[in-house]
Amino acid sequence: MMASSYNAKEEDGHHSGSSTHGGPGVVKSKKPDNTAFKQQRLPAWQPILTAGTVLPAFFVIGLIFIPIGIGLFVTSNNIKEFEIDYTGGTPGNPCYDCAKNLSWNSSTPCFCTVEFKLDQPFESNVYMYYGLSNFYQNHRRYVKSRDDSQLNGDLSALKNPSKECEPYRIVDGAPIAPCGAIANSLFNDTLELYHVASNGTRNLIPLAKKGIAWWTDKHVKFRNPGGNSNLTAAFKDTSKPVNWRKPVYELDPSDSENNGFINEDFIVWMRTAALPTFRKLYRIIHKKPNTTPTLPSGNYTLNITYNYPVLTFGGRKRMILSTISWMGGKNPFLGIAYITVGSICFFLGVVLLIIHHKYDTRSNSADIPN
């Protein structure tokens, strides 16, 4: 009798929404409300995976991925690319003397010339890259060694750089502009390309130095302090990076729109690479109207102002000439990845289909029990 009375009180308390603030003898119910959400009766989609639904998915993925992969792979292979290593680390190399005698503290640049031959002509625009190997721009301390406020033209950051730039923050009592290890290690080789005609005449190939940086970097992330009017005054009382031969406002004295922090060679270098072997865009060879090809087959000469030492850390330097397609530069990995995934899915579909037909013993007609 007492138990039934207790249950009735509990039920009454639940339905009436009673609380602990009620009178004596009222018990609060811990039973969840009788709703679809609290009683977990909400409708849900519960897929039932069967051979009829899984096997077509494998075949569809395979039939879609394989053609896409073949298209990407063929497009990548159609991109023409020429690469030449000019590190000069071995005797007999034209740049051997420069590589052997150059150091970070060298004040006098070295010059060398590399001759090569293009067996096939390069059509449309040609992109010239410089490549470095065994250079770890992805090192955590290296990546952080910069001051983005300073690079964006902040005057206070120009005079008082971030402590992340240490030990390339202040030299001889003057703040370094631009500060940090990334800027201090700026690639500063100069490359000039000549086409050697059949009569032995060397013709200089014009190399465009603008348009190589990302638009957002050029117009948003990098700014000169005080604008571009008088950079000498803007960078007064600052010092150049330790390994630089000239201050930042003399990177391109001939063009105020490509000088200082907004110099495109500098901007390209400041976008750090993810892998120790990388390439960065150096120049663009634009195709002239009504002329073909941009770089005809034949002999060429590469004049190098050899400023950048790499043998001290076991690195290599390369010059790369390349065309591009709608998918960018030469990169066969994406096509191979699509072909591999598509082939695996198609193969698994065939295997599972064979297993299904061989071992599926279920009757197509359902047995109805009496």
Side-chain angles (χ1 to χ4, degrees):
M1 188 67 180
M2 293 179 62
S4 61
S5 176
Y6 175 80
N7 291 338
K9 289 182 179 180
E10 181 182 12
E11 186 175 353
D12 291 339
H14 167 68
H15 289 293
S16 62
S18 61
S19 63
T20 56
H21 299 286
V26 178
V27 180
K28 178 178 174 59
S29 173
K30 296 183 179 180
K31 181 179 179 181
D33 294 335
N34 188 21
T35 62
F37 177 76
K38 292 188 176 181
Q39 296 297 333
Q40 299 184 14
R41 295 195 303 265
L42 291 175
W45 179 58
Q46 298 177 346
I48 300 176
L49 300 179
T50 64
T53 58
V54 174
L55 293 180
F58 277 100
F59 287 113
V60 168
I61 294 175
L63 292 176
I64 292 177
F65 275 42
I66 291 176
I68 293 177
I70 293 175
L72 294 174
F73 186 75
V74 171
T75 302
S76 177
N77 284 345
N78 288 335
I79 297 174
K80 295 179 181 178
E81 188 172 290
F82 178 85
E83 181 176 312
I84 185 170
D85 189 311
Y86 70 93
T87 306
T90 57
N93 189 289
C95 296
Y96 174 72
D97 291 336
C98 289
K100 181 179 65 174
N101 300 321
L102 190 68
S103 66
W104 290 107
N105 297 323
S106 300
S107 58
T108 303
C110 186
F111 303 93
C112 59
T113 300
V114 178
E115 297 179 351
F116 62 93
K117 182 179 181 180
L118 291 181
D119 296 326
Q120 294 181 343
F122 280 60
E123 310 290 344
S124 67
N125 291 343
V126 179
Y127 295 81
M128 176 185 284
Y129 301 85
Y130 61 85
L132 293 176
S133 299
N134 202 37
F135 193 108
Y136 289 82
Q137 274 199 317
N138 57 359
H139 192 281
R140 183 185 63 85
R141 187 68 186 89
Y142 181 89
V143 172
K144 293 175 61 178
S145 186
R146 60 188 292 163
D147 188 341
D148 288 320
S149 297
Q150 185 191 68
L151 297 175
N152 196 245
D154 190 334
L155 292 175
S156 60
L158 184 70
K159 302 300 182 182
N160 185 26
S162 169
K163 293 183 179 180
E164 295 287 355
C165 291
E166 295 286 0
Y168 304 104
R169 179 173 174 263
I170 296 176
V171 59
D172 297 332
I176 297 177
C179 70
I182 307 176
N184 186 67
S185 59
L186 173 68
F187 182 85
N188 59 348
D189 279 1
T190 302
L191 308 177
E192 293 181 342
L193 188 62
Y194 293 85
H195 176 240
V196 182
S198 56
N199 58 3
T201 304
R202 297 200 316 167
N203 300 314
L204 178 64
I205 296 176
L207 305 176
K209 59 186 176 182
K210 299 183 69 174
I212 62 175
W214 289 23
W215 187 93
T216 51
D217 289 348
K218 175 77 173 180
H219 298 91
V220 178
K221 293 184 178 181
F222 290 79
R223 287 282 187 273
N224 281 326
N228 304 333
S229 56
N230 189 348
L231 295 183
T232 304
F235 287 99
K236 184 181 179 182
D237 299 328
T238 65
S239 177
K240 66 178 180 62
V242 177
N243 289 340
W244 286 25
R245 290 189 170 90
K246 52 187 177 182
V248 66
Y249 52 83
E250 292 182 0
L251 291 178
D252 190 358
S254 62
D255 187 357
S256 61
E257 297 297 327
N258 190 44
N259 202 13
F261 288 158
I262 60 173
N263 178 266
E264 297 204 22
D265 285 325
F266 171 69
I267 294 174
V268 169
W269 178 259
M270 293 300 291
R271 181 170 286 275
T272 54
L275 300 174
T277 298
F278 60 87
R279 64 175 64 178
K280 291 180 181 287
L281 185 58
Y282 179 70
R283 295 291 182 264
I284 302 176
I285 306 173
H286 292 289
K287 179 180 175 60
K288 296 180 180 179
N290 303 323
T291 59
T292 182
T294 307
L295 292 180
S297 57
N299 297 319
Y300 288 82
T301 299
L302 180 67
N303 283 1
I304 304 164
T305 304
Y306 202 107
N307 296 321
Y308 203 76
V310 294
L311 295 183
T312 53
F313 57 86
R316 309 291 300 179
K317 294 194 292 187
R318 309 180 311 280
M319 185 279 298
I320 303 108
L321 298 173
S322 176
T323 58
I324 64 171
S325 67
W326 60 268
M327 59 174 289
K330 192 178 186 68
N331 182 16
F333 172 78
L334 189 60
I336 294 174
Y338 267 92
I339 294 174
T340 302
V341 173
S343 301
I344 292 174
C345 289
F346 194 85
F347 175 75
L348 288 177
V350 173
V351 172
L352 294 176
L353 181 62
I354 295 174
I355 295 174
H356 173 66
H357 280 283
K358 185 174 181 180
Y359 296 101
D360 187 14
T361 59
R362 293 176 300 175
S363 174
N364 293 330
S365 61
D367 295 333
I368 303 176
N370 293 329

